[in-house]
């Protein structure tokens, strides 16, 4: 579903948006929709990262440890040979 809205932008902002939309082969509306969606997702991800940090979780270290463990299992099972896909 698409909603029509009226928005106001500075001359500089709208000129930049038009230029970027043209460069990407998108309509101005499609480019603005994409830009707003990306901004919203960044906000959600930033809030999630902050919550994880406040909880004292170190997901990066856990992820790296998991990857190392997968590598060790692969070495044991496949002797360093690549796995079949």
């Amino acid at each position: 579903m698409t909603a029509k809205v009226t928005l106001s932008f500075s001359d500089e902002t709208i000129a930049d948006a038009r230029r970027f939309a043209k460069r990407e082969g998108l309509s101005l509306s499609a480019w603005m929709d994409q830009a707003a969606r990306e901004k919203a997702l960044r906000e959600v991800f930033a809030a999630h990262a902050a919550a994880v940090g406040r909880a004292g979780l170190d997901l990066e270290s856990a992820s790296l440890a998991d990857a190392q463990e997968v590598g060790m299992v692969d070495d044991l099972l496949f002797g360093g040979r690549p796995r079949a896909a």
Side-chain angles (χ1 to χ4, degrees):
M1 179 167 288
T2 302
K4 283 197 171 269
V5 297
T6 301
L7 302 169
S8 298
F9 298 97
S10 71
D11 291 338
E12 182 181 351
T13 298
I14 201 67
D16 287 343
R18 283 187 172 122
R19 188 175 68 251
F20 294 137
K22 183 177 181 179
R23 182 184 70 190
E24 294 181 27
L26 297 172
S27 68
L28 179 59
S29 292
W31 190 87
M32 294 295 264
D33 182 70
Q34 180 179 321
R37 182 177 307 278
E38 288 173 3
K39 172 66 173 170
L41 287 173
R42 281 193 304 274
E43 293 289 329
V44 168
F45 289 133
H48 178 262
V52 166
R54 285 191 306 275
L57 302 174
D58 187 358
L59 298 180
E60 184 176 1
S61 292
S63 178
L64 292 172
D66 287 348
Q68 185 178 15
E69 188 173 328
V70 166
M72 290 182 339
V73 170
D74 280 355
D75 285 345
L76 286 170
L77 292 175
F78 303 105
R81 296 183 315 274
R83 287 194 261 180

